[in-house]
Each structure stands twice: as structure tokens, then as C-alpha cells.
Amino acid sequence: MGCCISQLAAKFAFFPPSPATYQVKKKDDGRLVAVSTTSSMPISGAADDPSLDVLLVDTKRGNKIVAFYLKNPYAKLTVLYSHGNAADLGQLYDLFVQLKANLRVNLMGYDYSGYGASTGKPSEFDTYADIEAVYDCLQTEYGISQEDLILYGQSVGSGPTLHLAAKLPRLRGVVLHSGILSGLRVLCHANFTFCFDIYKNLNKIQKVKSPVLVIHGTEDDVVSWIHGNGLWKMSRDPYEPLWIKGGGHCNLELYPDYIRHLCRFIQEMECMTTEIRLKKIKQTLRLPKRSDTTISTNCCCQIKCRLPNCLNCSKVSCTKCCYWPKCPKWKPKCLVCWKPSCLGCSCMLPKCSCACPECSCACPKCSFTCPKCSCTCPKCCCWSVKCSCW
């Protein structure tokens, strides 16, 4: 039953365009070029466009996926874009060009397994392998580290985006565009998680240490705004969200606030120094509270209550528990001046004229049975001891 529901959720999540909107061909010089299936012309407008690299990337699950790398000579950061369902790179190329120019970033987009000209079939774990392979390509081929990388996930693309973001603690930032809490929550609006659910983003987003920007339309009829609001609330370092009033699921790029807010986020990520990032990480860490008391290993019992040293012999007065001292030279201290057998303070002066008939010691008023002579003597914490038996 669980497997059937999981397959149903996967079928809902993946709608690759059929047929694909582009093909990948190899030129005489060995370079790859993406050609439109309708016009047989390069989708970039020129076969030798130097700003576009068409790549074939091998994944650990045995698939070959297509990736577009768009270069901006003025870029400081790189965006790794994971698109939504029912789209491929041929449809998204124009959007990539606009984002590259307006945000002044390099942009890497890729097709999941089974999308566009990529081989294989789409599945949750294939998308995880796809984004990991593309990230490795960015590192090895272009020398881009996670400190200079922003992950962008749209709709179902929020799944692989958060999967990778949870593994990269020094990532510069994350953008979730119409993201989902989980696959089954899109289908049945459940408030709990099944073991066979896919894309459990509500668990992974809590592991993301970098700033998270959430963009969602208030009138999204595919993925409810509740998903975006939930992801924003569960983020460890949430950036100011963008709730586009009246926005749907696939038209947020048409609103002026979209590019304006996204551009501000990119600029702030560019200005974020290593010192600021470290300070934010320290603030998010939940360190255990340090105790003000120092516990010595010289303890008398399991409650770590240490008895005072004898003032004369400097030995720890410890018996099976910590009530009476074992050292014969130890004497109780005055509670005011903390001197042993002090008579200078008022607390040590006798409050009555009664005395122990056996030892003739002066005692304050209260009742206490003398352990030496078994007589009834006053009992008080500031009892002046003059008897030699004490």
C-alpha cells in the first residue's frame, strides 16, 4: 500500500515535457550545442555563443543529464537552478538569460533524469543524484565553492535543493520558489508525515544553516501558500519572504516585485563577509549553558557536595555522608564572621543562663539533647561550644 501511494506521489511530482523541446548535438570541434526541436536552430540564437556551455554530466545512478552553464563576466556568485515539473531547459533558457543579466550571476541549470535530453526516468532519489553531480561539476570544471553558491529550487525543485543545502554548511544562500513541504502534503494536505512520503522538505530545511529566501504566490492553486509559509517559519536563518499577492504557481516571474526582491537578496549575499557569516552561525548554534560552580573531584558523595577542609590540619572532613566532621580538631564556624568558636559576634553569645550540668557549657535557648551527657540543652545553629567533648 505504501509503495503504491509513493508511486502515485511521484507521478504527480514529475511531468517531463513530451516530446522534449530541445536536442543536444555535437559540433565538429567537439563542443555540444542545444538545438530546438521545432526550428532546428540553436536555442541560444548562435551556435558559437561563448557565454553558454552545454554539458553532459554523469550521475552516480548511471544517467547522463544535460546542464546549461551561463557565464556572466561581472558575476561574483553562481546560482544552481533546479526547475519545477512540466518544464525542461529548452523552455527555461530565456528565463536563465534574464536572471543572469539582472542578478549579475553565473547560472547553472540542469534537467533531471528523464527530462529533456537527459537519460533515465525521474524519481526522488535520481533528482538527488542529479543535483549532486551538477554540484561536483561546478567544483571541478569551474572552481566554484559552496561559499560562492546560491541554490535555487522551484516547486518540485525545492526537494533536491534542500537535499543538497542540508549537506553544505557554508553555502551562501537558498531560494525556494513555490516550494513544497512534502510530496504527499501537496496531494492530500496532511498534517503528518508518512514513511513513504517523498521530498520531506520540512525535515531537511531545519538542517540548512544559510539564509533562506521564500517566494510564493498567495493564489497558488497547485502548491498552497501554506507550504511556503511553513518552510519560512521552519528556516534557521529566514530572509524576508516575498508573498506575491495574486500570484499563481507558474507566473511569479512576471511580477516586478519578483526580480526586485530577488536582486536585493543576491546583493546582500554578495556583501556578506566571512566574519558576518561566522557570527550568524555562532548565534544559531545552541551551546549548553556553562555552570558558574566548579565541581571538584574531591567530593564526598554522588551529589557532588564538597566538605570544607579542616582549618588546622587541612584535611577534608569526610565520612560516609557530609554531616559531621571526622577531624577531632574541627570546630563549627560562626555564621557571621566564619571563624571557629567565635564569641565576638552576637550570634554566638548565650541567650539564657542555663548550662549543661555535666559539661558546664553555656547554650542558647532551644531544646537539644547533649550527645555527651544526654541532658536537654538549647539547640541553635549558632550554639557557642565550650565543652571539650565537641
Side-chain angles (χ1 to χ4, degrees):
M1 179 65 180
C3 182
C4 294
I5 297 178
S6 181
Q7 291 177 358
L8 177 63
K11 288 182 179 180
F12 175 83
F14 305 109
F15 293 103
S18 182
T21 62
Y22 71 97
Q23 295 176 345
V24 175
K25 295 184 178 180
K26 183 179 290 187
K27 296 173 56 179
D28 295 336
D29 57 1
R31 289 190 60 191
L32 298 177
V33 59
V35 179
S36 173
T37 56
T38 56
S39 63
S40 299
M41 294 293 293
I43 62 173
S44 61
D48 56 349
D49 184 2
S51 65
L52 172 64
D53 289 345
V54 180
L55 309 168
L56 282 178
V57 183
D58 295 321
T59 72
K60 63 182 180 182
R61 294 175 68 90
N63 298 324
K64 286 184 178 292
I65 61 173
V66 181
F68 289 177
Y69 183 69
L70 288 77
K71 293 169 283 188
N72 189 324
Y74 304 102
K76 295 181 181 179
L77 301 177
T78 299
V79 173
L80 176 52
Y81 193 105
S82 300
H83 62 73
N85 54 15
D88 62 14
L89 293 180
Q91 297 170 319
L92 295 170
Y93 176 75
D94 291 337
L95 173 64
F96 289 170
V97 173
Q98 294 178 14
L99 292 178
K100 179 195 75 170
N102 293 329
L103 303 180
R104 296 180 58 146
V105 295
N106 301 317
L107 193 144
M108 173 72 89
Y110 67 100
D111 265 337
Y112 310 123
S113 298
Y115 278 70
S118 299
T119 64
K121 293 183 179 180
S123 69
E124 176 188 7
F125 293 100
D126 276 302
T127 59
Y128 294 159
D130 296 341
I131 194 171
E132 290 174 0
V134 174
Y135 172 67
D136 291 339
C137 177
L138 283 173
Q139 286 186 307
T140 56
E141 298 295 328
Y142 299 100
I144 296 173
S145 61
Q146 59 178 291
E147 290 86 356
D148 299 323
L149 185 64
I150 292 178
L151 300 184
Y152 190 113
Q154 179 189 11
S155 187
V156 72
S158 60
T161 292
L162 289 176
H163 168 78
L164 183 60
K167 296 183 175 183
L168 303 179
R170 300 188 304 276
L171 193 65
R172 185 59 67 100
V174 175
V175 179
L176 300 178
H177 174 166
S178 302
I180 63 176
L181 287 170
S182 72
L184 288 180
R185 280 175 168 79
V186 178
L187 287 175
C188 57
H189 306 286
N191 293 326
F192 44 85
T193 302
F194 292 98
C195 60
F196 47 82
D197 200 353
I198 65 172
Y199 294 133
K200 301 174 185 177
N201 293 340
L202 70 167
N203 297 333
K204 294 182 179 180
I205 195 170
Q206 301 175 30
K207 302 176 183 179
V208 178
K209 298 182 175 65
S210 55
V212 177
L213 166 62
V214 177
I215 303 174
H216 217 105
T218 59
E219 302 299 326
D220 193 330
D221 57 353
V222 178
V223 179
S224 172
W225 169 82
I226 297 175
H227 288 251
N229 188 48
L231 292 171
W232 176 68
K233 288 183 177 180
M234 287 184 286
S235 301
R236 296 176 60 174
D237 188 5
Y239 187 81
E240 180 185 352
L242 175 60
W243 312 128
I244 298 182
K245 187 175 181 180
H249 189 68
C250 300
N251 63 349
L252 301 186
E253 298 89 350
L254 303 178
Y255 289 82
D257 287 342
Y258 166 80
I259 195 65
R260 187 183 302 118
H261 197 85
L262 190 56
C263 187
R264 187 178 66 162
F265 174 75
I266 296 295
Q267 291 176 352
E268 291 189 19
M269 295 303 104
E270 288 178 348
C271 298
M272 183 179 294
T273 62
T274 304
E275 182 180 356
I276 296 176
R277 286 176 55 81
L278 290 175
K279 185 177 180 180
K280 281 193 171 186
I281 292 175
K282 289 180 180 179
Q283 290 176 349
T284 57
L285 290 176
R286 296 181 179 179
L287 299 176
K289 294 183 179 180
R290 301 177 65 179
S291 177
D292 295 333
T293 58
T294 303
I295 300 175
S296 172
T297 57
N298 194 4
C299 299
C300 63
C301 53
Q302 292 183 352
I303 60 173
K304 302 185 185 300
C305 177
R306 188 185 184 281
L307 288 175
N309 292 341
C310 176
L311 296 179
N312 294 326
C313 61
S314 299
K315 293 181 180 179
V316 178
S317 305
C318 181
T319 56
K320 292 183 179 179
C321 54
C322 40
Y323 291 111
W324 296 105
K326 193 174 182 179
C327 177
K329 297 183 180 181
W330 189 89
K331 295 182 179 181
K333 297 179 181 180
C334 172
L335 298 180
V336 178
C337 62
W338 293 98
K339 294 181 180 180
S341 303
C342 175
L343 295 178
C345 299
S346 59
C347 64
M348 299 301 296
L349 295 178
K351 298 181 180 179
C352 66
S353 59
C354 67
C356 174
E358 188 78 16
C359 55
S360 301
C361 61
C363 308
K365 265 187 179 178
C366 53
S367 83
F368 178 73
T369 302
C370 178
K372 180 72 175 177
C373 56
S374 301
C375 67
T376 302
C377 296
K379 179 183 179 183
C380 182
C381 61
C382 54
W383 182 20
S384 178
V385 179
K386 295 182 179 180
C387 179
S388 60
C389 64
W390 285 90

